[in-house]
Amino acid sequence: MLELREVSVSLGSRRVVEQVSARVERGSLVALVGPNGAGKSTLIRAVAGVLAHDGEILVAGSSRAGLGARARARSVAYVPQRPVLPVSMTVIDYVLLGRAAHHSVLGTTSRLDRLVAAAALERLRLTDLARRRLGELSGGEAQRVVLGRALAQEAPVLVMDEPVTSLDLGHGQLVLELTDELRRDKGLTVLCAIHDLTLAALHAEQLVLLHEGRLVACGKAGDVVTVENLRRFFGAEVEVLAGSHGPVVAPLRLSPAPMPAPPAGNTPRDTPRQDGRVAMAAP
Ligand SMILES: Nc1ncnc2c1ncn2[C@@H]1O[C@H](COP(=O)(O)OP(=O)(O)OP(=O)(O)O)[C@@H](O)[C@H]1O
Ligand SMILES: [Mg+2]
């Protein structure tokens, strides 16, 4: 459904993404992972059509090169990492913007648009916030509203840039379960940059690991989420545990725990021991 053929992106004079090729099958989710600055957002923005690129990006076999903004928006919906929100707009009006790609040039909001927008809010448990202004939302609520706008777009491909980063555990789960449901029911195809490798492993059919703009590993979670890859590309020391639904990343503590300060009132003769407890001197 979505195919990247040797996609490269330059920002200023820097080549930030270098010849990345990948496929996302209809109804599947590919997680784009990698350390800060690896090029994930840049690649996502190229797929969304907001950055120029070399190489080819195909949706349902057709190149996106030369498509106008509205045609692009009908094929790919984009959830940015740092959206700029019009603070005085209401949630429902913002979500309705997602329907603009379906209007004629002078089109007005239809009953269908309102139904689709209301359904998107409902799915994201945002109905109670529909009349709130965007400037009056918490970070995680705003992030879900941006996803709501993308869902209202009803494009067959959804690209999301760290959609669960500011969400609590429950709402993060809600968002990924929701995309699972849309993948199953509507064949939605998803490319998603994500830092939580355990969640990525749980939901994605495939992981693509970027490092310094290049694809350095791709495949099933068990092949990508490994102690060696996390050490080499993230500089992280972790254990990778065998969870019941895939690998679970458990960070390791490298330095010993700091000694707790002695409780007030201890005499100078009370000496901390190596295990962190305080040995009381005999009176
Ligand atoms: N406008 C720009 N001009 C030059 N370099 C840029 C520009 N914007 C971003 N970069 C650089 O491009 C590289 C890739 O950035 P990008 O935002 O794609 O990384 P990322 O993988 O999404 O990182 P993060 O996990 O922190 O979101 C980084 O080194 C970044 O500093
Ligand atoms: Mg990013």
Side-chain angles (χ1 to χ4, degrees):
M1 184 61 166
L2 173 65
E3 189 178 354
L4 281 58
R5 290 190 190 153
E6 300 190 345
V7 174
S8 299
V9 185
S10 298
L11 293 175
S13 57
R14 288 187 56 208
R15 193 74 137 174
V16 172
V17 172
E18 188 74 48
Q19 301 228 313
V20 172
S21 297
R23 286 174 74 89
V24 193
E25 303 298 342
R26 182 172 187 273
S28 74
L29 187 156
V30 168
L32 202 51
V33 300
N36 293 141
K40 303 178 299 295
S41 294
T42 306
L43 185 57
I44 292 249
R45 289 164 70 208
V47 174
V50 297
L51 273 183
H53 61 86
D54 292 329
E56 270 194 294
I57 297 175
L58 306 164
V59 174
S62 302
S63 170
R64 289 171 58 69
L67 286 185
R70 283 155 48 77
R72 272 204 315 264
R74 277 197 299 271
S75 62
V76 175
Y78 168 46
V79 178
Q81 183 173 4
R82 283 179 294 196
V84 180
L85 298 178
V87 289
S88 55
M89 187 177 270
T90 62
V91 166
I92 183 67
D93 285 345
Y94 180 77
V95 172
L96 278 166
L97 290 179
R99 301 298 300 160
H102 297 275
H103 294 160
S104 60
V105 177
L106 293 173
T108 48
T109 304
S110 67
R111 186 174 143 72
L112 175 64
D113 294 332
R114 290 188 190 287
L115 285 175
V116 171
L121 289 181
E122 180 72 37
R123 279 183 191 276
L124 288 160
R125 297 189 196 146
L126 289 167
T127 305
D128 290 348
L129 299 181
R131 299 276 154 216
R132 264 282 193 99
R133 297 193 186 280
L134 296 177
E136 296 163 0
L137 301 178
S138 76
E141 288 165 350
Q143 199 167 14
R144 273 149 60 216
V145 170
V146 174
L147 177 59
R149 174 185 157 156
L151 294 185
Q153 217 166 305
E154 292 194 311
V157 175
L158 175 64
V159 292
M160 303 194 285
D161 196 350
E162 298 190 28
V164 297
T165 302
S166 3
L167 302 189
D168 63 61
L169 194 58
H171 283 114
Q173 218 161 26
L174 169 79
V175 162
L176 290 168
E177 290 294 333
L178 174 60
T179 53
D180 282 355
E181 191 184 305
L182 293 168
R183 294 197 289 129
R184 229 176 13 244
D185 298 349
K186 304 200 170 181
L188 183 70
T189 302
V190 186
L191 176 67
C192 174
I194 183 165
H195 275 299
D196 187 323
L197 297 168
T198 303
L199 275 182
L202 190 59
H203 288 271
E205 277 76 27
Q206 280 226 321
L207 275 71
V208 167
L209 172 56
L210 288 190
H211 182 253
E212 295 179 353
R214 294 174 186 277
L215 186 156
V216 291
C218 80
K220 294 203 178 306
D223 299 327
V224 176
V225 181
T226 62
V227 168
E228 295 74 32
N229 279 344
L230 270 68
R231 181 178 297 135
R232 181 166 170 205
F233 298 115
F234 290 79
E237 291 299 327
V238 302
E239 279 179 326
V240 177
L241 311 173
S244 50
H245 296 285
V248 173
V249 176
L252 292 176
R253 183 166 192 168
L254 303 180
S255 54
M259 301 277 191
N266 280 350
T267 68
R269 288 183 301 158
D270 299 344
T271 44
R273 302 187 321 198
Q274 279 304 309
D275 62 6
R277 293 190 204 146
V278 174
M280 302 295 281

